[in-house]
Amino acid sequence: MDKKMKQNMWLIAFGVILYVALMNFSSVLIFFEKIVSITLPLLVGFALAFMLSVPMKGFEKLLKKACDKFKLRIKDKLVQILSLILTILSILFVFVLVCSIVIPEIVVSVKGIALLIKDKWPVWAAMLKEYDIDTTMIADWVENLDFENVLLGIMDNAGGVLDGIAGTAASTISVIVTTLLSLVFMFYVLISKNELRRQTKKLLYANIRRDIADKIMDIAKLVENTYSKFLSGQCIEAIILGSLMFIAFSIFRLPYAGLIAILTTVCAFIPYVGAFVSCGVGVLLTLLNDPIQAILCFIVYEVVQFIENQFIYPRVVGTSVGLSPL
């Protein structure tokens, strides 16, 4: 059978398979859903391992430099395990640090807002009475407003919501199994990444033409290096943006400078939506404090965000991944 005949046979087979798949589209979707549900822990585990491999690689370099400096001989496997432990501890430390700073700030802000409502309520009530709006019920609520009870109610409701979410997740065995298996796969991949890399390379070159295998390896290496540099640049950019927000809000004497700066730094890792969330929270808190300052808060935030996005971000991240700022 010549080459052209083989190509025609493959085309006919592909056409028949495509026709059968389209005629039984619902069955095909169910089949792929089962495949995805089976392989989901593996895919999630590999994704988590890919993301955590960047800081883990940094800790590996630091540990190897320390070992060379103090002339210590440690096996590569032990270095990988220690790097993984340091990576997880660092993530937990950052999470706890952000919560320990943000939550007290929010508590203070809510307390200040509650006192502000009590102080300015007479002015607001007078304005509402001019439009013949009955404010009796609202006045009674403001008069009896107790910050401690409000805060306890919020915490109780939040706890109820979390309990409901936890109960729903616990009742779904597949969610628990998927999460646990994903974490297990992640740990195995990170601890055995060198062996997996060598085995994958051998498997690739044993079953695929050498020139194609070389291209696949080059692309994989490019993806790994580019993502590593991008994540590093993104971390630097988030810190710069948060610092600029704190400086700008302090210069214009806007309230909640520290809280908004931290929220901006954290939300910088959330594409598109992050900037709106941090800006919205800042404007809302400032609005309750002083409506005029809320307008200034929005303008200052957007100006700093524009300058950072148009001039600093392209240079920092572009330099990291090797792209022109343009």
Side-chain angles (χ1 to χ4, degrees):
M1 186 180 294
D2 57 2
K3 187 176 180 180
K4 188 174 181 180
M5 180 64 69
K6 286 183 179 180
Q7 290 179 349
N8 292 333
M9 293 296 293
W10 279 113
L11 286 174
I12 293 171
F14 175 75
V16 171
I17 294 171
L18 181 61
Y19 175 77
V20 173
L22 292 175
M23 294 301 294
N24 300 275
F25 193 66
S26 59
S27 300
V28 173
L29 287 178
I30 293 173
F31 173 76
F32 278 108
E33 286 178 1
K34 290 182 179 180
I35 295 296
V36 171
S37 64
I38 293 172
T39 59
L40 185 61
L42 185 62
L43 296 175
V44 174
F46 273 114
L48 292 173
F50 183 70
M51 289 186 288
L52 294 183
S53 64
V54 177
M56 184 176 170
K57 188 185 296 184
F59 281 117
E60 285 181 6
K61 291 180 180 179
L62 291 176
L63 289 175
K64 288 180 179 179
K65 286 182 180 180
C67 292
D68 294 337
K69 184 177 180 179
F70 294 101
K71 296 181 180 180
L72 299 174
R73 291 184 179 180
I74 301 178
K75 294 182 179 180
D76 292 338
K77 180 67 70 175
L78 182 58
V79 172
Q80 290 179 352
I81 294 173
L82 292 175
S83 301
L84 178 57
I85 293 172
L86 290 174
T87 301
I88 295 173
L89 290 177
S90 300
I91 294 172
L92 292 175
F93 173 75
V94 171
F95 178 76
V96 172
L97 180 64
V98 171
C99 291
S100 63
I101 295 174
V102 171
I103 292 176
E105 285 281 349
I106 292 176
V107 171
V108 172
S109 301
V110 173
K111 186 175 182 179
I113 291 167
L115 295 175
L116 182 67
I117 291 174
K118 281 189 174 183
D119 292 338
K120 293 195 174 183
W121 170 246
V123 179
W124 297 344
M127 293 176 59
L128 292 173
K129 284 182 179 179
E130 292 179 1
Y131 295 96
D132 296 328
I133 298 175
D134 187 13
T135 60
T136 306
M137 293 180 62
I138 303 177
D140 293 338
W141 178 80
V142 173
E143 187 66 27
N144 299 321
L145 181 63
D146 186 2
F147 166 74
E148 300 294 338
N149 291 332
V150 172
L151 189 60
L152 289 173
I154 292 172
M155 296 300 292
D156 290 339
N157 291 331
V161 172
L162 291 175
D163 290 340
I165 294 173
T168 304
S171 63
T172 308
I173 298 177
S174 61
V175 174
I176 301 174
V177 172
T178 300
T179 303
L180 293 176
L181 287 178
S182 299
L183 293 175
V184 170
F185 282 128
M186 181 195 73
F187 282 111
Y188 272 117
V189 171
L190 289 174
I191 293 174
S192 307
K193 59 180 182 178
N194 292 335
E195 292 85 348
L196 287 173
R197 186 180 288 112
R198 285 195 297 267
Q199 293 169 359
T200 303
K201 189 175 180 180
K202 288 180 180 179
L203 184 65
L204 192 65
Y205 280 95
N207 294 278
I208 300 178
R209 239 171 42 207
R210 186 172 187 81
D211 56 340
I212 299 176
D214 288 338
K215 290 181 181 179
I216 294 174
M217 293 299 298
D218 290 339
I219 292 172
K221 188 176 181 180
L222 178 63
V223 169
E224 182 183 6
N225 292 336
T226 304
Y227 174 75
S228 177
K229 294 176 181 178
F230 168 77
L231 185 59
S232 303
Q234 187 72 18
C235 292
I236 296 172
E237 185 270 336
I239 295 172
I240 292 173
L241 179 58
S243 302
L244 289 176
M245 285 295 177
F246 180 78
I247 294 171
F249 275 62
S250 300
I251 291 174
F252 287 93
R253 297 182 179 179
L254 292 168
Y256 313 111
L259 176 61
I260 295 172
I262 294 171
L263 284 176
T264 303
T265 303
V266 175
C267 293
F269 292 95
I270 306 174
Y272 306 111
V273 181
F276 291 103
V277 171
S278 54
C279 180
V281 171
V283 171
L284 179 61
L285 293 175
T286 310
L287 178 65
L288 295 171
N289 188 25
D290 189 343
I292 303 299
Q293 281 191 328
I295 299 173
L296 181 60
C297 171
F298 178 79
I299 294 173
V300 170
Y301 190 97
E302 291 302 324
V303 169
V304 174
Q305 186 83 30
F306 177 82
I307 293 172
E308 196 276 338
N309 283 343
Q310 303 304 323
F311 300 103
I312 299 176
Y313 182 88
R315 184 166 296 277
V316 172
V317 180
T319 303
S320 299
V321 299
L323 291 174
S324 167
L326 179 62

